[in-house]
Amino acid sequence: MRIKRLGAPLAAAVVAAGLSACGGGSGEGESAKPVTVWMYPVIADEKAAVAYWSQVEKDFEAANTDVDLTIEHQPWANRDQKLATAFSGGKGPDVLLLGPDQIPQFVKTGSLEPVDKVLEADKAKFLPGALEALTVDGKLYGAPIYHTVTTTLYNKLLLDKAGIAKPPETWDEIKAAAPKLKQAGVATLDYSASPETSLNLSFYPLLWQAGGSVFAEDGMKVAFNQAPGVEALTFIKGLYDAGAIPKSSLTNANVVADQALGKQQVAMGFTNTLIDAKTVNSSWGAANVIVGVPLQNKKRVGFGLPGGLAVNAGSKNIEGAEKFLSFMTQPKQVISLGTASNYLSPRTDAPVPASDEQSKKFEEALQFAFHGEVNPAARQVMALLAVEIQAALTGKKTPQQALDDAAKQADDLLSRQR
């Protein structure tokens, strides 16, 4: 067992992972074959994460003496680039944590091994949406170990200050609340417009709420520049121009403690996690933290997705890798990880116990969670669109112009990948 925290440059990480995946290292016994896992900050507290995954290593190896397990801690930042570099070099870990919008691009390059047989016996015990999100062309490429959900978070002190008794749950209610909150000296809606921030946590939920989609049904072109997308971006642009979305949104990276919501400069957020709620409990006072349902326009929908363990098709120990997936998808591990991470369970027969009312509210929000749209170019399209959204917010382009310009670039990208 060797647990590592990787803050070193990519080259060092790739070399270490490559050696392990190819059989490097002595293991705990001559018969034990190595399995390397790239894990990300699912558990936000670094010390707690190291302790948790260290215990996982011990428990797994005790039950699987033929496997020498190494869990390497990777940062969220630049993870797609790091993975692409590792895979293109024929290296990378044996097991890696992926989200639904990452999997198609690596399936396309032949980098992932299907994992259907890992869940064959228990497939009916998982949320159908979780399995669907990790499936490409009828094959499962990720074994779900947790499920996220985002929803609204309100600062009761600021709502009370503006005389707003009912937290706004719809776009119209947000627009009606904005002048009252402005008069009270605060902004209305927190938003993360930094190009580095996933649009799953900013623009896409609004697009879905407007009844739109990122891609056309066949996935060959984008659809975000159609009427629902224009409506969503116009909604955000109007709030930004009116001061109801703070100017700091342009650099917000969706870290609640560092932005306007956490600093009590804005009354509500709409893509917040249970971890966010726990973070602001101490600064706002728990009684002033209200957890609501996802916003509604034409639809009520929030972002939420499963985290899936995938297997590197180039692994030298696929059998050992599959054993780790089987271990982590069992009820005991799913519940323990959910408890440690403040995420939900992807299993219907093993819910994570709700420790308080806030946890229950997030559990209730899961029914409105949408995992996003699966496409091999999803991340690249997101990067193109994020820049144009900033251009619209800052007045350099109209919402329609910005979305059309992004769509032109995205459609060209998609045509070259066919």
Side-chain angles (χ1 to χ4, degrees), residues 339-414:
T339 301
S341 64
N342 285 313
Y343 287 147
L344 301 173
S345 171
R347 294 188 64 123
T348 57
D349 63 337
V352 177
S355 58
D356 51 34
E357 285 303 313
Q358 289 182 346
S359 300
K360 291 179 183 178
K361 288 291 185 180
F362 277 89
E363 183 80 39
E364 292 169 9
L366 186 59
Q367 64 182 301
F368 302 109
F370 178 54
H371 56 71
E373 298 167 57
V374 174
N375 189 287
R379 290 302 181 100
Q380 294 163 286
V381 168
M382 188 181 291
L384 295 172
L385 179 55
V387 174
E388 296 297 337
I389 288 174
Q390 272 219 351
L393 291 179
T394 55
K396 295 177 181 177
K397 299 180 181 181
T398 67
Q400 184 72 70
Q401 288 172 332
L403 294 175
D404 282 345
D405 287 349
K408 183 178 180 180
Q409 298 173 68
D411 285 345
D412 179 63
L413 171 70
L414 290 169

Side-chain angles (χ1 to χ4, degrees), residues 9-356:
L10 171 62
V14 171
V15 169
L19 287 173
S20 180
C22 295
S26 59
E28 294 188 358
E30 290 187 9
S31 61
K33 296 181 180 179
V35 167
T36 300
V37 179
W38 277 11
M39 183 51 61
Y40 296 84
V42 176
I43 301 170
D45 182 88
E46 184 178 359
K47 289 184 178 179
V50 170
Y52 177 85
W53 292 111
S54 178
Q55 188 61 51
V56 166
E57 285 185 320
K58 293 176 183 176
D59 293 344
F60 174 79
E61 289 182 343
N64 299 272
T65 56
D66 59 333
V67 179
D68 175 24
L69 181 66
T70 300
I71 299 178
E72 297 181 348
H73 293 251
Q74 299 281 344
W76 291 122
N78 301 315
R79 56 180 175 148
D80 289 319
Q81 296 93 318
K82 291 180 180 180
L83 286 169
T85 299
F87 282 135
S88 66
K91 299 178 181 178
D94 300 283
V95 177
L96 58 156
L97 179 71
L98 294 176
D101 60 348
Q102 292 177 294
I103 287 177
Q105 60 184 310
F106 297 125
V107 170
K108 186 176 180 180
T109 59
S111 301
L112 301 181
E113 183 79 8
V115 297
D116 298 84
K117 66 180 181 180
V118 173
L119 298 186
E120 191 173 3
D122 284 352
K123 193 172 183 179
K125 298 176 183 177
F126 283 81
L127 294 169
L131 298 179
E132 177 189 348
L134 300 169
T135 297
V136 176
D137 295 332
K139 295 181 180 179
L140 186 67
Y141 286 93
I145 57 172
Y146 66 85
H147 208 294
T148 71
V149 67
T150 61
T151 192
T152 48
L153 204 60
Y154 304 91
N155 187 320
K156 185 176 183 298
L157 280 174
L158 300 185
L159 293 178
D160 288 348
K161 185 178 179 181
I164 299 172
K166 179 182 178 295
E169 295 182 357
T170 69
W171 290 18
D172 286 341
E173 289 174 358
I174 288 174
K175 287 186 280 190
K180 299 177 183 178
L181 286 160
K182 185 174 183 178
Q183 191 171 1
V186 295
T188 303
L189 187 69
D190 205 17
Y191 188 82
S192 295
S194 168
E196 285 73 41
T197 300
S198 170
L199 294 186
N200 288 325
L201 298 173
S202 54
F203 182 69
Y204 284 173
L206 300 172
L207 173 66
W208 302 326
Q209 288 161 18
S213 60
V214 180
F215 297 95
E217 190 172 346
D218 61 5
M220 306 295 280
K221 290 189 175 183
V222 296
F224 55 68
N225 61 327
Q226 296 176 7
V230 176
E231 183 182 5
L233 188 50
T234 300
F235 170 65
I236 290 298
K237 169 67 172 169
L239 292 175
Y240 182 83
D241 288 346
I245 289 177
K247 303 303 180 185
S248 60
S249 69
L250 296 178
T251 56
N252 276 356
N254 217 65
V255 180
V256 68
D258 297 337
Q259 59 196 62
L261 183 65
K263 296 176 181 178
Q264 301 197 71
Q265 298 166 351
V266 62
M268 64 175 288
F270 71 104
T271 58
N272 295 103
T273 66
L274 179 57
I275 296 172
D276 292 338
K278 302 298 184 186
T279 298
V280 297
N281 277 345
S282 57
S283 55
W284 301 2
N288 294 312
V289 180
I290 300 174
V291 178
V293 292
L295 291 179
Q296 179 175 3
N297 185 31
K298 292 182 176 63
K299 296 180 179 180
R300 187 180 301 282
V301 58
F303 175 67
L305 81 174
L309 291 178
V311 174
N312 184 347
S315 170
K316 304 301 182 184
N317 190 6
I318 287 179
E319 182 181 357
E322 291 176 341
K323 285 183 179 181
F324 181 67
L325 268 62
S326 179
F327 177 82
M328 287 303 301
T329 52
Q330 294 306 303
K332 179 180 178 181
Q333 294 304 136
V334 166
I335 292 172
S336 70
L337 178 58
T339 301
S341 64
N342 285 313
Y343 287 147
L344 301 173
S345 171
R347 294 188 64 123
T348 57
D349 63 337
V352 177
S355 58
D356 51 34

